[in-house]
Amino acid sequence: SREAVQLLKTKGVDFSIVEYQKKIITEDEILEISTKLGLRPKDFVRKLERDFKENNLIEYLQDDLRMTQAMIKYPKIIERPIFIVGEKAVIARPPEKIFEILE
């Protein structure tokens, strides 16, 4: 999210951006993000995304392994932006949620 990036720059926070739609994300990375968010994979997918609907991924919501595999195959379904600091992560919607793990 451009808003989240601008917010971080304004506050002088050093950060890097991982464009997981360009760089293949692994199963281990998704599971690590899941742990840091404190959410199951089904809880940080975009259920209204075309790839989610067209591939009937609703069937996999209760199966963390299959949902993770779907997230690898269809990275657009991963909720974004996800902000990670150390062992904590937050879905930065709205962008101010970033401060929940910065403070």
Side-chain angles (χ1 to χ4, degrees):
S1 152
R2 287 183 285 267
E3 289 178 54
V5 168
Q6 187 57 45
L7 186 61
L8 292 169
K9 286 180 179 179
T10 301
K11 297 293 184 179
V13 176
D14 187 32
F15 64 95
S16 62
I17 296 173
V18 176
E19 296 186 46
Y20 54 82
Q21 291 183 45
K22 294 179 181 175
K23 174 201 169 277
I24 296 174
I25 191 165
T26 68
E27 182 177 323
D28 287 341
E29 289 171 321
I30 291 172
L31 294 174
E32 183 178 341
I33 291 168
S34 176
T35 298
K36 289 178 179 188
L37 285 168
L39 300 172
R40 292 180 58 200
K42 71 174 184 137
D43 297 323
F44 60 103
V45 295
R46 299 166 65 115
K47 295 168 186 76
L48 299 178
E49 182 67 44
R50 183 182 335 166
D51 283 341
F52 185 87
K53 293 193 274 186
E54 287 181 357
N55 293 287
N56 204 26
L57 299 179
I58 196 166
E59 293 180 13
Y60 302 149
L61 285 177
Q62 298 308 318
D63 184 331
D64 290 347
L65 177 59
R66 293 197 66 188
M67 192 75 261
T68 300
Q69 292 167 345
M71 293 164 91
I72 292 166
K73 187 170 183 176
Y74 307 104
K76 284 184 178 181
I77 70 170
I78 301 172
E79 188 61 69
R80 53 195 181 273
I82 297 173
F83 185 72
I84 302 169
V85 175
E87 295 303 312
K88 298 178 184 177
V90 67
I91 298 169
R93 286 187 181 227
E96 293 77 18
K97 288 190 68 98
I98 291 168
F99 297 114
E100 291 177 9
I101 62 172
L102 281 178
E103 301 171 348

